[in-house]
Amino acid sequence: MTEPLPRPTFPRGGTYDPPRMVRGRDHQPDAGTGYAELARATYTRSGKPWRWWRPLIALAITGAGMLLGQTVLLVAFLVIDLAGASRVETWDPEVVLDRIVALDATDVPVLIVTLGGLACLIPSIYLGLAVAGMRPIGHIGSVALRLRWRWMLSLLPVALASLVLSLGITILVSMVAVAGAGGAPDAEVFTPQWTPVGTLVPALLVIVLLVPFQAAAEEYLFRGLFVQTLAAWLPARRWSMALVVVVTTLLFVAGHVYDVWGLLDVGVFGLAAVWLTLRTGGLEAAISLHVVNNVVVFSLQATGIFGSTEGSGEGSLVGVLATLISTIAYCWVVAVMARRAGLRSTSPWPSPRGVAPVPLPMPGVWAPVQVPSQPVR
């Protein structure tokens, strides 16, 4: 009677290990897929045919979710404001509308309505992607199918240094211009109107808590959902990506009510943000820059250092040039850091070297079977 053969074994280590299947792995895009192509690549990876209308479902649900969130916050604000009026007859809806449009950085209820309404974009986008069947929904974050938090947090100091550079250039040039003009009419620009501490502290608390979500929500929409939607609709050509960059930047600029110089400033930021997203394969670099910029600017505005706590929406040539210089510096530093960190800008699954074919089972060593001799009969 012979012994049973040992079970076959596979060699361990290296690229010969069979891939471990985890949740959502069957939807992983092929290696080398860029961020803009993730929406379509993750869906077709599931084996289902792509349908052009799926991003429309995600966009519709995103808009409906943001509208619902803003409506709830606005109704709550109106009810509280009406209840606080001494008489109903004295309550003027035009005054309330002017408060919202002015966006006073010390007006806590207005900050909650405005910033909180935009923050509703994040859960709305995730819900829209889930309903549209565009899973895993983490592809909106990066090629790693999630936000790379360690990478994003490491960029916050760089973003802060970039903003300090921009503000420093603006202040320096403005002071030189005021000194050259004799300092008379323009000196009022540098006269702060400091906000009382009792008003400033609640405003700063709301800014620190809500502005990061508002800034991240705009990146999720303009550099995330819009970029991946347009890339999914357009053919894979060089001009297609250029069109995606231009269209998403114009949409971002159209979402701001500024003068010409202010819109150019926003356009420079939008171009830098979409370049960072495509270069690093995720939203993290753009979110870090956007969050730091908005938190610092809103906080400075709330202190009254600019002479007013309301957003003017006015820009200048100096401001555009300062933004251009600081964002170029930020993009360069981020590119260097990404290269040194070995950050992937395309999908890492499967292995970028290619997955070697799994070898045939290798049986163990066969021991010779001793057969007792039998006499010839």
Side-chain angles (χ1 to χ4, degrees):
M1 184 176 180
T2 59
E3 298 180 359
L5 296 177
R7 297 182 62 181
T9 58
F10 292 89
R12 306 296 298 177
T15 59
Y16 289 92
D17 285 341
R20 294 181 303 164
M21 303 299 291
V22 297
R23 183 179 180 183
R25 183 68 76 188
D26 56 333
H27 294 275
Q28 294 273 6
D30 293 330
T33 302
Y35 175 82
E37 295 82 17
L38 283 179
R40 183 165 183 164
T42 51
Y43 186 81
T44 55
R45 183 74 175 178
S46 65
K48 302 176 182 179
W50 170 257
R51 295 291 183 264
W52 63 269
W53 43 262
R54 290 192 177 275
L56 288 180
I57 296 178
L59 288 171
I61 294 178
T62 297
M66 184 188 69
L67 183 61
L68 177 61
Q70 289 182 335
T71 301
V72 171
L73 291 174
L74 182 58
V75 170
F77 167 69
L78 294 177
V79 170
I80 295 175
D81 189 72
L82 180 61
S86 58
R87 295 181 59 185
V88 177
E89 294 81 1
T90 61
W91 186 78
D92 190 352
E94 294 185 1
V95 175
V96 177
L97 181 61
D98 291 339
R99 286 177 58 190
I100 296 176
V101 173
L103 192 57
D104 191 327
T106 60
D107 195 338
V108 172
V110 171
L111 288 177
I112 294 176
V113 171
T114 306
L115 302 178
L118 289 174
C120 293
L121 277 170
I122 297 178
S124 301
I125 288 174
Y126 278 119
L127 178 62
L129 293 174
V131 174
M134 300 169 64
R135 295 183 177 89
I137 57 179
H139 68 72
I140 197 71
S142 73
V143 294
L145 304 186
R146 57 178 176 81
L147 275 182
R148 297 164 292 190
W149 284 93
R150 182 176 299 179
W151 165 247
M152 182 170 62
L153 294 177
S154 68
L155 297 177
L156 293 178
V158 183
L160 181 59
S162 172
L163 180 59
V164 170
L165 175 62
S166 177
L167 293 176
I169 294 174
T170 303
I171 294 174
L172 180 62
V173 174
S174 300
M175 291 178 64
V176 171
V178 169
D186 296 331
E188 296 180 357
V189 177
F190 297 94
T191 304
Q193 299 293 331
W194 300 110
T195 303
V197 176
T199 305
L200 179 62
V201 172
L204 291 179
L205 182 61
V206 173
I207 289 171
V208 172
L209 292 177
L210 290 184
V211 166
F213 294 99
Q214 169 263 326
E218 292 187 9
E219 295 305 318
Y220 268 88
L221 180 65
F222 292 102
R223 260 67 68 175
L225 187 60
F226 284 170
V227 166
Q228 293 186 351
T229 296
L230 290 176
W233 285 342
L234 296 174
R237 300 288 188 273
R238 291 183 178 179
W239 62 264
S240 301
M241 194 52 58
L243 185 61
V244 168
V245 171
V246 172
V247 171
T248 55
T249 302
L250 291 177
L251 290 174
F252 180 64
V253 172
H256 296 77
V257 185
Y258 297 154
D259 62 2
V260 175
W261 293 116
L263 294 178
L264 286 176
D265 193 295
V266 172
V268 170
F269 177 88
L271 288 174
V274 71
W275 183 87
L276 288 167
T277 300
L278 299 177
R279 172 62 180 81
T280 61
L283 299 175
E284 298 89 355
I287 289 177
S288 295
L289 183 60
H290 204 155
V291 167
V292 169
N293 179 84
N294 285 17
V295 168
V296 173
V297 171
F298 266 106
S299 300
L300 291 176
Q301 182 179 325
T303 62
I305 192 173
F306 299 133
S308 174
T309 57
E310 296 182 357
S312 63
E314 297 180 359
S316 64
L317 175 60
V318 175
V320 173
L321 294 178
T323 300
L324 181 63
I325 294 172
S326 61
T327 51
I328 290 177
Y330 178 78
C331 291
W332 178 75
V333 173
V334 169
V336 172
M337 292 177 61
R339 183 172 63 252
R340 291 182 177 179
L343 187 75
R344 292 194 57 85
S345 60
T346 57
S347 175
W349 177 266
S351 170
R353 298 186 301 272
V355 178
V358 180
L360 294 174
M362 299 178 59
V365 179
W366 288 27
V369 179
Q370 300 292 335
V371 180
S373 58
Q374 295 288 340
V376 178
R377 293 180 181 170

